[in-house]
């Protein structure tokens, strides 16, 4: 069986790693990795392949950065050609980035089966570019591999038949479980000279927070506030840093209370999450990782496609509400904040369940169609 994984951006690589590992143990499976080149910097891409021990991609489509249409179209065009040459049994796409939807569309039009890892998530926020990618990819895919039960409910509400849906758990947590000891040993916080449990970890990169001057200034003013309680450690996405420069907003945070870092590798990020007193973020993956690690998380968004992190985990949606953030930070500092539990099947074995489904699904499907 020939399986092609298509990945393009940071969070995709974290999901690919355990799946690549699980597939490598299956007899008769040839797994081919295609990197679209959506992320291309050493820190945004290469370091993840090294940290997560992912074999080097077999192909790189080198699409690079650009407006959504151009980037999506470049993946669509280049992957169509490659997929037609490779003719795999499955194309596996991950998450919700532009590369995900483009690869899924190219494959289904060629009559190649598509499986979507992390299917069914919905923020119901149509201003979010990823929401369109999620909806379109799910409706194109043959097999929808969901991380939580709410995702299955979303899909069924949209008319997707249950036979296409498989609850496998959260593959991002497989990477976390596997690499936590290594992240611990790397001791990222100590390396930076901050004491474990003595800082707030910040990550922000969503267009809704960082692309407009007004919203970015609001976010920075809030961070300036909370930095008076604890210093901030902030690995910065290139777009966020460029926008703070462009809008001249550095003055909103006392430089003595901020450690601004370039994008960090997977092990460093995991270590910094684990040792933080709390995390302020707008990342999807970090909402999940804080829940898995029991670290308090304030999400600077009005909604989340990962409600299980709020209902069961340590996540609180705070948007850019200054008073609410201040109150939540105080509660965390005084009482440790919201206690959570680890959601069902976030157990480090999702990738094995994915490999099981991929290797058995085609046969079952043929049986059920002809039954
Ligand atoms: C993309 C995903 C987002 C994901 C994020 C993780 C989409 C729509 N968005 O957003 O869901 O959470 O990746 O980081 O697919 N850049 C570099 N080096 C790189 C890549 C990008 O400097 O290696 C800069 C470029 O200026 C580029 C900008 O970052 O224009 C944005 O990159 P892009 O891939 O378009 O989107 P992200 O914001 O990273």
């Amino acid at each position: 069986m020939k399986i092609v994984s298509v990945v393009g951006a940071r969070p995709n690589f974290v999901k690919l790693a355990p799946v690549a590992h699980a597939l490598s143990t299956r007899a008769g499976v040839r797994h081919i990795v295609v990197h679209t080149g959506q992320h291309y910097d050493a820190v945004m891409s290469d370091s993840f392949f090294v940290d997560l021990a992912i074999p080097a991609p077999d192909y790189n489509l080198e699409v690079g950065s650009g407006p959504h249409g151009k980037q999506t179209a470049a993946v669509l065009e280049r992957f169509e050609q490659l997929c037609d040459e490779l003719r795999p049994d499955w194309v596996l796409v991950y998450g919700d980035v532009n590369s995900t939807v483009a690869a899924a569309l190219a494959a289904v039009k060629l009559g190649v089966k598509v499986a979507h890892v992390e299917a069914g998530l919905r923020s119901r926020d149509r201003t979010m570019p990823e929401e369109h990618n999620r909806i379109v990819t799910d409706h194109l895919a043959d097999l929808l591999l969901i991380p939580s039960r709410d995702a299955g409910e979303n899909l069924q509400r949209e008319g997707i038949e249950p036979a296409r849906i498989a609850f496998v758990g959260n593959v991002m947590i497989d990477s976390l479980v596997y690499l936590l000891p290594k992240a611990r040993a790397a001791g990222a916080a100590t390396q930076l000279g901050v004491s474990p449990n003595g800082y707030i970890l910040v990550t922000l990169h969503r267009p809704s927070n960082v692309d407009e001057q007004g919203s970015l200034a609001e976010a920075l003013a809030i961070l300036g506030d909370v930095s008076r309680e604890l210093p901030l450690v902030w690995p910065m996405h290139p777009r966020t840093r460029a926008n703070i420069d462009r809008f001249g907003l550095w003055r909103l945070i006392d430089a003595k209370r901020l450690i601004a870092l370039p994008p960090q590798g997977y092990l460093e990020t995991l270590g910094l999450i684990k040792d933080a007193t709390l995390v302020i973020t707008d990342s999807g993956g970090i909402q999940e990782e804080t829940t898995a690690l029991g670290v308090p998380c304030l999400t600077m968004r009005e909604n989340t496609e990962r409600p299980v992190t709020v209902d069961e985990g340590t996540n609180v949606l705070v948007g850019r509400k200054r008073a609410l953030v201040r109150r939540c930070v105080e509660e965390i500092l005084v009482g440790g904040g919201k206690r959570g539990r680890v959601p069902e099947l976030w157990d480090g074995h999702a990738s094995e369940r994915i490999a099981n489904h991929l290797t058995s699904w085609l046969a079952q499907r043929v049986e059920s169609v002809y039954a």
Side-chain angles (χ1 to χ4, degrees), residues 21 43-44 46 95 98 106 122-123 126 130 132 149 166 197 207 233 260 265 271 288 309 331-332 352:
H21 182 70
V43 285
M44 301 282 283
D46 303 359
N98 289 340
R122 297 288 183 269
S123 64
R126 291 176 60 83
E130 293 83 357
H132 305 288
R149 291 195 185 275
N197 206 11
V233 173
E288 299 179 338
T309 61
E331 278 169 18
I332 293 166
E352 288 154 38

Side-chain angles (χ1 to χ4, degrees), residues 315-328:
N315 192 15
V316 181
L317 297 180
V318 293
R320 290 190 304 272
K321 299 185 189 83
R322 207 164 172 166
L324 177 61
V325 176
R326 216 180 283 164
R327 199 171 69 233
C328 289

